[in-house]
Amino acid sequence: MVLQAEEGLITTAVPVLVATAVPVERDAVARALPASAEEVRLPGAVLCRTAAGWDLLAAGVGPALAAASAAGALTAAALAGRPYGLVVSAGIGGGFPGAPLGSLVVADAITAADLGAETADGFLPVTELGFGTVTHRPPESLVRAVRRATGARAGTVLTVSTVTGTAARAAALRARHPGALAEGMEGFGVAEAAAAHGVPVLELRAISNPVGPRDRAAWRIGDALAALTEGFAQLVPALESWNAHER
């Protein structure tokens, strides 16, 4: 990925796709980027293309819709002759111990937590059934660059199809994934789409609530969205550094 200055802005010569679940997350990312943008209509989704070369997509909630929307955007970009150099799954999410409210988590592993089978002996991931994959790993050098630039904690980000709402499920997830710092619903789907196109993927989550018993009064969505904006304001220089020293 080559980053270059254009009219006083840092812009990406190779475009970056940022996929969030919902528009409010997309808008939090957009606040960190130059204001001018154009809308590009895709089947089932609208892409916001910013002056900095970042395409922002509210891809939908859950891994299936996020994968479908991200795949559509990746395919459209490739057919238009401007393929993406990086896909970023971004948004707010739940935090496990070690990821306090308002903090940022960057995934060093993007794992589908509930893709598999329940058995009498416990949960089996789909890989142990002989199918597919359950984990995508962002480039280590990129994760390090993001940590240095944003102060984000690095750990596993779990993708779930059902948000955790009990202490028992939170404990079970943590027992199976001791490195887990955050939970979201889209990262693995976005990562699957990126992998199908041979494009590296990154996941960045701002923590809005603890993973565990569902208590909406304890959620801090506004603080998490503000942290997401601040994180993306620091992300472009991190990518520039990663490109200069690691690629």
Side-chain angles (χ1 to χ4, degrees), residues 1-3 10 12 14 16 18 54 86 88 142-143 145-146 149 202 232 234-247:
M1 180 182 303
V2 178
L3 299 177
I10 298 296
T12 54
V14 178
V16 176
V18 181
W54 295 62
L86 176 69
V88 184
L142 179 56
V143 172
V146 173
L202 182 72
F232 268 87
Q234 300 161 329
L235 195 58
V236 168
L239 292 179
E240 183 180 34
S241 174
W242 177 62
N243 176 69
H245 297 103
E246 302 290 345
R247 294 287 289 215

Side-chain angles (χ1 to χ4, degrees), residues 116-165:
E118 292 287 354
T119 76
D121 297 320
F123 179 82
L124 286 179
V126 72
T127 48
E128 293 190 26
L129 303 175
F131 304 104
T133 186
V134 292
T135 295
H136 292 281
R137 296 191 181 277
E140 292 181 6
S141 58
L142 179 56
V143 172
R144 288 194 300 269
V146 173
R147 287 186 66 189
R148 286 194 299 266
T150 67
R153 294 162 170 81
T156 300
V157 177
L158 302 180
T159 298
V160 296
S161 295
T162 301
V163 173
T164 300

Side-chain angles (χ1 to χ4, degrees), residues 22 24-25 61 92-96 99-103 160 162-166 183-185 206-226:
V22 294
V24 69
E25 294 168 318
V61 174
I92 64 176
F96 288 98
L101 300 187
S103 66
V160 296
T162 301
V163 173
T164 300
T166 67
E183 171 188 279
M185 298 183 74
I207 303 304
S208 59
N209 58 279
V211 175
R214 190 172 174 83
D215 178 11
R216 295 197 65 170
W219 294 1
R220 297 292 181 267
I221 292 177
D223 292 344
L225 291 171

